[in-house]
Amino acid sequence: MRILDPHIHMTSRTTDDYEAMYAAGVRAVVEPAFWLGQPRTSAGSFTDYFDSLVGWERFRAAQFGIRHHAAIALNPKEANDPRCREVLTEIPRYLLKDGVVAVGEVGFDSMTPAEDDVFAAQLELARDADLPVLVHTPHRDKLAGTRRTLDVVRESGLPPERVLVDHLNETTVALVHDAGMWAGFSVYPDTKMDERRTVALLREYGTARMIVNSAADWGRSDPLKTARTGHEMLAAGFTDDDVDQVLWRNPVEFYGQSGNLVLDPVPGFVAGEPPAPGVEFEGSSVLRGVRA
């Protein structure tokens, strides 16, 4: 089983998690910028965070044999704080950096006018940078939030195949599926979706343009939920090829639209051995272009 976890917040996880993920088949991840729990108070705290996503975290992941990529954005929750809006002028330069494969997470938290404005502005940034977009749907009033999300995306003029709408469930997947966008499911221990519910939706809607992620962060979450969902798919009668499509080929196809995925093995990494201090995190391949 090979896995690209398309939405996971490794800044919040330990090196033990990286080791367990590699053992479970994870070979690449995408880490979208998000709310850290403690509110930020200035644009400078965002740029420090973005620097860590495109620098240190890539290096840390490579020490454990995993290719790390990032999505950059002002997250929906902090879009409501006027002190943070200044970071929108900084984001374009980060969208040009190696390993950045999308704009995200963007979208809605409480569906405020400020969130609406910031969402639309960042969709424009994605269009200008020629990058796909990872969209966060709200945890409250999810159906209305998803409907508004689709309206804002349509108003932006972005092609639907360039948009992944995440944190979906049984009430929202049909809207996204019918809109021609990618459908994302976050599998959690207690909230969002679990393995069986996700597999039931895969059976109903098929495996095309369906994305499964762990969204593991600083809360109660599990970075192995992608692998656990793959095993649940097999137990439910899906084939190895079906699992590979959902856990690897689909996220590769979506984020591959950026031209920035690097998927070849990390040079110098040997499974089961201590990480080498000098291991390259960029590797020898050209960073623009998908290497499978």
Side-chain angles (χ1 to χ4, degrees), residues 46-267:
F46 279 93
T47 57
D48 289 340
Y49 170 56
F50 295 162
D51 285 338
S52 73
L53 291 182
V54 300
W56 165 247
E57 202 57 44
R58 294 183 73 206
F59 172 73
R60 193 166 76 105
Q63 289 184 303
F64 297 91
I66 294 176
R67 290 294 192 177
H68 182 282
H69 309 82
I72 300 294
L74 171 58
N75 67 84
K77 189 176 185 68
E78 290 177 298
N80 292 294
D81 190 335
R83 297 174 298 179
C84 300
R85 294 281 288 269
E86 182 184 340
V87 77
L88 292 174
T89 63
E90 299 289 337
I91 287 174
R93 67 184 176 93
Y94 284 95
L95 301 182
L96 301 174
K97 292 186 178 291
D98 293 337
V100 175
V101 296
V103 173
E105 299 175 59
V106 298
F108 290 110
D109 178 61
S110 301
M111 295 180 62
T112 65
E115 291 172 19
D116 212 310
D117 291 344
V118 171
F119 186 11
Q122 293 190 99
L123 292 177
E124 184 174 351
L125 293 180
R127 185 177 63 247
D128 292 345
D130 195 24
L131 287 175
V133 181
L134 172 62
V135 180
H136 168 100
T137 52
H139 302 303
R140 302 176 298 278
D141 202 1
K142 186 172 287 289
L143 183 58
T146 302
R147 285 178 174 143
R148 180 56 189 150
T149 292
L150 300 183
D151 288 343
V152 174
V153 171
R154 292 188 187 102
E155 292 162 6
S156 76
L158 283 176
E161 67 271 15
R162 305 279 285 182
V163 180
L164 166 56
V165 183
D166 209 353
H167 309 318
L168 299 180
N169 59 25
E170 294 87 347
T171 68
T172 55
V173 59
L175 292 172
V176 175
H177 184 269
D178 293 346
M181 300 176 196
W182 292 77
F185 304 93
S186 299
V187 184
Y188 254 45
D190 299 316
T191 60
K192 299 183 174 73
M193 294 290 287
D194 62 22
E195 295 92 329
R196 292 186 179 182
R197 290 168 59 201
T198 301
V199 169
L201 290 179
L202 291 171
R203 185 181 292 112
E204 180 177 357
Y205 291 93
T207 56
R209 291 194 180 178
M210 302 288 264
I211 300 278
V212 172
N213 64 74
S214 70
D217 56 15
W218 36 255
R220 189 165 187 268
S221 49
D222 181 355
L224 302 184
K225 281 294 187 180
T226 48
R228 299 190 203 284
T229 302
H231 290 298
E232 187 72 26
M233 289 178 67
L234 293 173
F238 284 90
T239 66
D240 289 333
D241 187 69
D242 293 330
V243 173
D244 190 70
Q245 179 180 4
V246 172
L247 298 186
W248 183 263
R249 299 198 308 272
N250 281 357
V252 166
E253 181 180 346
F254 176 73
Y255 287 116
Q257 296 177 98
S258 70
N260 290 336
L261 276 179
V262 180
L263 300 175
D264 50 339
V266 176

